[in-house]
């Protein structure tokens, strides 16, 4: 595959990616923490805590109340099953 990005674009992305993004390894830290730490609480969001929760150390982050809407979650789950033709039951 041919790299078509200009040198300028590569430099800009190199600088911006350090400000607004993080590595895949650091991006996995919240999931690992939630899977292994005993002190995490249910119905909470854990992730990066700096720059609008995009980078930084892992901690508790703001969680919008719509994320806890059980009726909307059930509707979305059903729609997802229908659209993917994949069904799951415990």
């Amino acid at each position: 595959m041919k790299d078509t990005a200009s040198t300028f674009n590569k430099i800009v992305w190199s600088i911006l990616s350090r400000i607004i993004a993080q590595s895949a390894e650091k991006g996995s830290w919240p999931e690992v923490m939630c899977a292994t730490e005993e002190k995490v609480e249910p119905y909470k969001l854990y992730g990066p805590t700096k720059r609008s929760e995009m980078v930084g150390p892992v901690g508790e982050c703001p969680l919008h109340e719509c994320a806890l809407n059980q009726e909307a979650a059930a509707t979305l789950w059903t729609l997802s099953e229908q659209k993917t033709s994949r069904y799951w039951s415990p």
Side-chain angles (χ1 to χ4, degrees):
M1 176 165 36
K2 185 176 178 182
D3 184 2
T4 60
S6 69
T7 302
F8 175 76
N9 285 344
K10 289 177 184 179
I11 292 169
V12 168
W13 176 247
S14 174
I15 294 167
L16 284 178
S17 66
R18 293 182 183 144
I19 297 170
I20 62 170
Q22 58 190 12
S23 69
E25 178 187 352
K26 287 184 180 178
S28 70
W29 289 355
E31 287 78 9
V32 172
M33 185 187 87
C34 289
T36 59
E37 292 287 328
E38 294 180 14
K39 63 183 178 183
V40 295
E41 298 177 39
Y43 305 107
K44 301 280 184 171
L45 175 64
Y46 295 92
T49 56
K50 291 187 178 179
R51 295 192 193 103
S52 300
E53 291 81 42
M54 293 184 70
V55 296
V58 177
E60 187 176 334
C61 301
L63 179 63
H64 195 280
E65 63 185 50
C66 72
L68 301 175
N69 183 326
Q70 295 295 315
E71 185 178 332
T75 301
L76 180 59
W77 185 269
T78 300
L79 181 62
S80 297
E81 286 183 326
Q82 291 169 353
K83 296 290 184 182
T84 62
S85 299
R86 302 283 185 220
Y87 299 90
W88 182 83
S89 61

